[in-house]
Amino acid sequence: MKIKYKIISALILLGVLFYILMKLDLDRFYGYLAGINVWYVVMSFFAFALYFLIWNYRWKLSLFKLCRTSSFRLLPILMAGVFVNHVTPGAGTGGEPVRVYYLAKFTKANRTNLFALTMLEKLFSTFVFGALVFFSVFYVAFFVDIDIILKSILLTIIVVAVIIFLFLIFFYRGGKFSFRKLFLFDRVLKLFYSSKIFTKFIRKYKTFDGFRNFINREIDNSKLFLKDLMKNKNFVVYSLLLTFILWFFNYAAVYYSFSALGFEIKIIELIVVYSISVFVADLSIFPGGIGLMEAVSIGLYNAFGIPLEIATLATLLNRVVYYLLALGVGYLCLTYLHFRYD
């Protein structure tokens, strides 16, 4: 049944992409392509680079109670985790165990607490991103003239976002629901367990159930540590502030992609489209949401009145620059760590 669902989803995605391709005016598309301002492409690259550097700095700050290490040593581990996030389905959780695995290689910190802090980063990001998605969907549903069916879908997304937020509250308060179900954690763990990247570590667990029980036990043991850390208001405020700055550079990279084509996009439209697209991609069965995010972005930009050729080219330009770092640099970092530490 799962295979059928994946096949159907892939066919629908291919159909949407084919429909977009058929509607493109290729002459106009190639005209915009030939007139790209390379300077803004470079600016987009640096915006994404700053995004990852600030993320790395936020991670370093979160480790202050466990260990002291340089940002230079953390960066390849972060990028390796980013790469794994994009080659596994789900809401970008596959890279967190990878980061903990390699960080524990050269620190004496408790592995459980390292995992807890790494997941706490995910919760900070989810909280900020959830607020951005809620705002974006609310804006489109109530202030943009769209089809009633699409409006119903967006209202459903609002409900889902509220449910996710409640799940996170339940997790923090020790309720029955947990982020493990929310982020399809079992599916991610299966992919991690069946991979050939960490055979030396996983070899200790003869069955997947044993490996899963170990991870779940680590998560449960980390809750007390997290709750104590969350009492530090300065840490919480600073982490949230850095998370907002991260998203600022994410949006800036998208803005520069449109500027490279000589198009002035409205900031509100950029925030709305990019936030919804990332949210939909996180829920997809496709690794990293590749393909689906691009299709949603192009469709929404066009719905806001942006010419299809500009929407398509700006989206592709933005994703190529991003994947150059996330997948290209990420893969090189993962390979480096594998040969050095495994």
Side-chain angles (χ1 to χ4, degrees), residues 36-48 50 248-265 267 270 301 313-315 317-318 321:
I36 287 178
N37 187 325
V38 179
W39 169 247
Y40 282 112
V41 178
V42 173
M43 293 289 288
S44 179
F45 177 87
F46 278 112
F48 276 132
L50 285 171
F248 168 79
F249 282 110
N250 232 334
Y251 294 131
V254 180
Y255 182 83
Y256 289 133
S257 296
F258 279 96
S259 296
L261 303 175
F263 186 85
E264 191 76 19
I265 186 174
I267 300 299
L270 185 155
Y301 284 135
L313 190 53
T315 299
L317 188 62
N318 176 259
V321 173

Side-chain angles (χ1 to χ4, degrees), residues 65-99:
K65 277 198 172 184
L66 293 180
C67 60
R68 289 187 178 183
T69 184
S70 67
S71 298
F72 182 78
R73 297 190 75 180
L74 283 179
L75 187 58
I77 299 177
L78 173 71
M79 295 308 297
V82 170
F83 171 80
V84 176
N85 275 343
H86 284 79
V87 296
T88 54
T93 53
E96 276 61 42
V98 175
R99 287 201 276 159

Side-chain angles (χ1 to χ4, degrees), residues 102-146:
Y102 282 117
L103 183 59
K105 289 282 188 178
F106 62 84
T107 64
K108 297 180 180 179
N110 180 278
R111 192 188 295 267
T112 299
N113 291 339
L114 284 177
F115 188 83
L117 282 175
T118 305
M119 291 310 299
L120 181 62
E121 267 206 316
K122 191 69 183 178
L123 294 179
F124 278 129
S125 296
T126 302
F127 178 79
V128 173
F129 179 56
L132 291 168
V133 171
F134 186 86
F135 164 77
S136 300
V137 176
F138 184 86
Y139 177 84
V140 174
F142 292 99
F143 297 100
V144 179
D145 186 19
I146 56 175

